[in-house]
Amino acid sequence: MDFEDTPDQAEFRSKARAWLDANAQRRNDKLLRGMEGEAAFLEAKEWYAKKAQAGFACLTWPTEYGGAGLTSLYEVIWAQEVENYLTRDSHFVIGIGNCGPAIMHFAEEQQKRELLPRMASAEDVWCQLFSEPCAGSDVAGLRTRAEQHDDHWLLNGQKIWTSGAQHSDYGVVLTRTDPTISKYRGLTLFMIDMRQDGVEVRPIKQMDGGQHFNEVFFNDAVVPDNYRLGEIGGGWTGALTVLMSERLAISGVQPTGFPQFLDLVKSLELNGEPIANDPLVRERLATWYTQYAGLQAVYKRMITAVAKGGIAGAEASMGKLVGAVMNQEIANFVCQLFGQAGIIQDEQLSPEQAHFQKTVLFSPGIRLAGGTDEVMRNILAEQVLGLPQEPRADKGMAFQDIPTGNS
Ligand SMILES: Cc1cc2nc3c(=O)[nH]c(=O)nc-3n(C[C@H](O)[C@H](O)[C@H](O)COP(=O)(O)OP(=O)(O)OC[C@H]3O[C@@H](n4cnc5c(N)ncnc54)[C@H](O)[C@@H]3O)c2cc1C
């Protein structure tokens, strides 16, 4: 693929850069001071609304759904430019990156026109309600029930690890509608209003002090039938659309830690000498630079495939696996370099040390979210290396007959 800009693309790039210069903080100024909780969320919403007004949100979505109607190549240009800035887009990745494509594909026209523009402008925030206490990697084993009553459904059950549910107006929820058939065929996907009676969000406090995700309980929560995404029993196909979009969306924003590490190495001294002169640091720098450059090449290959109408395939799994491990390794290494000061978590005291310390504590989660390391390896083993599928003991069994710890 030719990575040179056409005149139109060059114009878009310079507009994007000018807008970012005026509205975002450059990465090499300093690390973004993290506000926590509600304040951070409100600032993020304001930032995203401005970005949408300027025409830089949802670049590939059709204009009637609030997008800019451009090709994926413009998304790549935006991603290349935005990499140099610190932004607060992460609250919207799940909605716009994961839920949006499924809604676009499966929702009725009226719902698309009503809900997608509000999602694109960050007026509404969305979450993804898939994982349950006993269904994470094996999400098709979930137990939240949806029962049909005339023109609506009643949902009962529990979700867990739902990122951003505390701020969300809507969610995409995967449910079991028929336990008498195989686990993949008895699932149905819905959109749900998160502010209604019968939906209870309980925060989970993390070890880094943050509160990123939640438990969500459904107690006779009502979902109108026109909020169903796809066929009854077709939930697995919808869920795969969400999960594939998730891998692509994560690949665009997943932290690797490398740019921050590079900035740090340029500024830090050890025993009166630039730390970049230390052989161990140089060795780490070279290793992580190689991985980082490889990830960028993989990302371009993936975007090229998507731009040609393909899907985010094994490249997304490879990017996720390598990037998440690297992010954790870099944070651990940097905290060792900082010595005792590496335990500082107070951003007012030292934004840099706090950033890496918080990354040490949150990076294990990145290795789980969106598919664990082992799940990524299984995908690569089966889809790239052509190794035999792992044995699936419940294949073809009715969901209700699959033995559980209680049976
Ligand atoms: C930061 C973060 C954000 C998240 N956000 C969301 C969200 O917004 N919405 C949502 O629905 N979920 C979310 N999740 C949940 C996430 O999808 C699950 O944590 C993930 O799918 C793993 O499921 P689990 O935690 O139940 O672990 P399990 O599936 O119970 O896995 C436990 C261990 O067993 C291994 N394992 C499992 N199956 C296999 C296998 N077949 N082969 C080899 N090893 C295996 C796993 O790799 C892991 O090490 C989030 C998680 C995190 C950490």
Side-chain angles (χ1 to χ4, degrees):
M1 175 166 200
D2 183 3
F3 288 112
E4 291 298 315
D5 289 344
T6 63
D8 273 357
Q9 289 163 0
E11 189 189 338
F12 175 82
R13 187 187 292 281
S14 82
K15 275 191 189 155
R17 198 174 294 170
W19 188 84
L20 283 163
D21 268 339
N23 293 285
Q25 188 186 330
R26 275 207 159 261
R27 183 175 291 286
N28 53 10
D29 289 347
K30 52 181 154 28
L31 290 163
L32 188 65
R33 275 184 189 264
M35 275 185 291
E36 299 287 344
E38 193 66 15
F41 171 67
L42 292 176
E43 188 180 290
K45 251 187 124 161
E46 206 179 302
W47 143 260
Y48 207 94
K50 249 200 291 184
K51 171 175 146 178
Q53 256 177 3
F56 292 115
C58 300
L59 293 174
T60 57
W61 288 18
T63 49
E64 62 270 31
Y65 303 143
L70 297 171
T71 66
S72 305
L73 287 176
Y74 289 82
E75 195 91 77
V76 177
I77 295 170
W78 175 262
Q80 287 169 343
E81 293 303 317
V82 91
E83 201 190 23
N84 302 315
Y85 298 83
L86 299 162
T87 65
R88 294 191 185 271
D89 282 358
S90 59
H91 290 282
F92 313 104
V93 171
I94 288 180
I96 288 169
N98 309 1
C99 307
I103 295 169
M104 204 119 33
H105 203 271
F106 296 106
E108 292 175 13
E109 192 57 30
Q110 190 195 338
Q111 271 72 44
K112 287 199 240 185
R113 286 183 185 264
E114 186 188 314
L115 296 170
L116 288 173
R118 296 212 314 253
M119 182 192 283
S121 63
E123 192 181 333
D124 290 342
V125 175
W126 286 65
C127 61
Q128 175 185 329
L129 302 135
F130 281 17
S131 304
E132 297 186 4
C134 290
S137 303
D138 178 25
V139 71
L142 60 84
R143 288 172 183 275
T144 292
R145 293 185 323 281
E147 280 165 16
Q148 192 164 20
H149 297 261
D150 305 322
D151 62 348
H152 67 275
W153 297 74
L154 285 184
L155 263 58
N156 283 285
Q158 184 198 346
K159 298 290 173 179
I160 195 168
W161 315 126
T162 317
S163 303
Q166 75 274 35
H167 300 304
S168 291
D169 303 286
Y170 293 94
V172 166
V173 56
L174 190 59
T175 64
R176 180 152 314 278
T177 41
D178 188 352
T180 65
I181 52 179
S182 91
K183 64 179 183 180
Y184 295 103
R185 289 197 293 124
L187 299 170
T188 305
L189 193 64
F190 295 95
M191 301 180 285
I192 186 166
D193 177 347
M194 293 292 289
R195 309 280 187 205
Q196 67 173 300
D197 286 347
V199 177
E200 188 193 345
V201 176
R202 290 188 203 162
I204 298 174
K205 193 89 177 159
Q206 297 148 208
M207 66 179 171
D208 69 348
Q211 189 235 299
H212 171 92
F213 38 41
N214 305 269
E215 294 178 295
V216 178
F217 294 83
F218 301 114
N219 232 321
D220 282 341
V222 178
V223 178
D225 190 50
N226 62 10
Y227 268 36
R228 175 160 46 83
L229 289 172
E231 300 294 314
I232 298 172
W236 189 241
T237 311
L240 288 180
T241 305
V242 175
L243 293 171
M244 295 294 267
S245 308
E246 180 177 39
R247 300 232 162 104
L248 183 64
I250 291 179
S251 313
V253 296
Q254 177 174 291
T256 60
F258 185 76
Q260 292 82 357
F261 179 59
L262 188 60
D263 285 349
L264 185 83
V265 167
K266 284 184 201 158
S267 64
L268 207 64
E269 292 198 341
L270 184 67
N271 303 327
E273 283 223 36
I275 203 158
N277 292 349
D278 182 90
L280 180 61
V281 172
R282 294 176 80 77
E283 188 270 325
R284 292 284 79 204
L285 194 59
T287 302
W288 285 322
Y289 171 73
T290 313
Q291 288 182 8
Y292 182 67
L295 283 178
Q296 288 187 313
V298 165
Y299 181 62
K300 281 183 182 153
R301 194 159 75 181
M302 187 171 72
I303 287 291
T304 306
V306 172
K308 290 181 177 165
I311 51 166
E315 286 94 352
S317 302
M318 193 158 67
K320 159 85 177 55
L321 181 60
V322 175
V325 172
M326 181 175 162
N327 183 49
Q328 187 176 18
E329 285 178 348
I330 288 180
N332 286 335
F333 183 72
V334 169
C335 281
Q336 285 175 28
L337 285 182
F338 284 146
Q340 287 180 348
I343 62 165
I344 292 177
Q345 268 205 59
D346 183 346
E347 289 177 338
Q348 304 303 324
L349 212 56
S350 168
E352 250 170 6
Q353 279 148 355
H355 166 80
F356 285 105
Q357 173 58 218
K358 285 190 173 185
T359 306
V360 165
L361 297 175
F362 195 67
S363 54
I366 308 273
R367 293 180 65 175
L368 305 173
T372 64
D373 289 5
E374 288 78 11
V375 166
M376 293 302 129
R377 288 198 180 96
N378 280 348
I379 292 173
L380 292 171
E382 291 175 16
Q383 293 179 11
V384 180
L385 302 176
L387 294 174
Q389 285 199 337
E390 62 173 12
R392 292 188 171 117
D394 55 13
K395 203 169 179 177
M397 260 185 169
F399 178 73
Q400 64 191 13
D401 297 333
I402 298 172
T404 67
N406 296 328
S407 53

